[in-house]
Amino acid sequence: MHIAILTFDGFNELDSLVALGILSRVKRPGWRVSIACPTPRVRSMNGVVLDAQADLREASEADAVIVGSGIKTREVAADAALMARLRLDPARQLLGAQCSGTLVLAKLGLLGDLPACTDLSTRPWVEEAGVRVLEQPFVAHGNVATAGGCLASQYLATWLIARLVDEQAAREALHYVAPVGEKDLYVRRAMTKVAPFLDARV
């Protein structure tokens, strides 16, 4: 089971790495979570440098993909050659988009006429792409989920674990990373956001 987190130059650390941390709490045989990049190395919006763990070909073949966010997402979405390398398909993959990653899914035509979530800065561009933006942190339609706000990345990770394993595994992963003294409250709140979308497979 391979989950790829698409991470481009100028990436937002919270968007890629919070999801990576939560998803990596699942300890199952064959479970793999990777930072997938178009180049061998990418630099974040704050100067953090990461080496790619997977390339775009591997991401296109992954069981699940999160499209991360960053300050150069508009450039990514406008790069026809780069976008052509993203062979994503909700018929065979779970797809999630974090903040401006929603713009990438919109430009790939993977949102259709479905409403989506994104961050406040990206909202005008997503709406310009013909997508209605919701005033909420998370939504999922079948195999495609979107989240808005950096810390909403926890909801994408929770949704993926619940879909790929089960809700108990999602709760356990969240419980592990939640603040001490707030763990049960934290898990309940996250599951309240995600659970309504787990049965909607349309």
Side-chain angles (χ1 to χ4, degrees), residues 1 26-32:
M1 185 67 65
V26 175
K27 304 303 181 186
R28 302 240 168 176
W31 184 271
R32 174 187 172 208

Side-chain angles (χ1 to χ4, degrees), residues 127-188:
E127 291 177 333
E128 187 178 81
V131 176
R132 180 167 66 90
V133 175
L134 300 171
E135 188 67 25
Q136 62 192 58
F138 178 83
V139 69
H141 307 281
N143 288 343
V144 180
T146 54
C150 299
L151 294 180
S153 57
Q154 64 183 303
Y155 301 142
L156 276 180
T158 300
W159 176 76
L160 283 173
I161 296 170
R163 287 290 309 272
L164 295 171
V165 185
D166 56 35
E167 288 189 46
Q168 182 58 33
R171 291 175 184 275
E172 290 172 359
L174 280 172
H175 192 272
Y176 189 98
V177 302
V180 171
E182 301 177 2
K183 289 185 178 291
D184 291 341
L185 176 64
Y186 190 94
V187 171
R188 282 198 304 272

Side-chain angles (χ1 to χ4, degrees), residues 12-56:
N12 183 316
E13 302 92 342
L14 289 174
D15 291 347
S16 289
L17 299 181
V18 169
L20 174 73
I22 296 173
L23 289 163
S24 296
R25 297 300 169 191
V26 175
K27 304 303 181 186
R28 302 240 168 176
W31 184 271
R32 174 187 172 208
V33 186
S34 65
I35 297 292
C37 311
T39 54
R41 180 170 290 176
V42 290
R43 182 180 299 273
S44 79
M45 59 193 294
N46 294 306
V48 175
V49 176
L50 291 181
D51 290 331
Q53 298 171 303
D55 58 24
L56 298 189

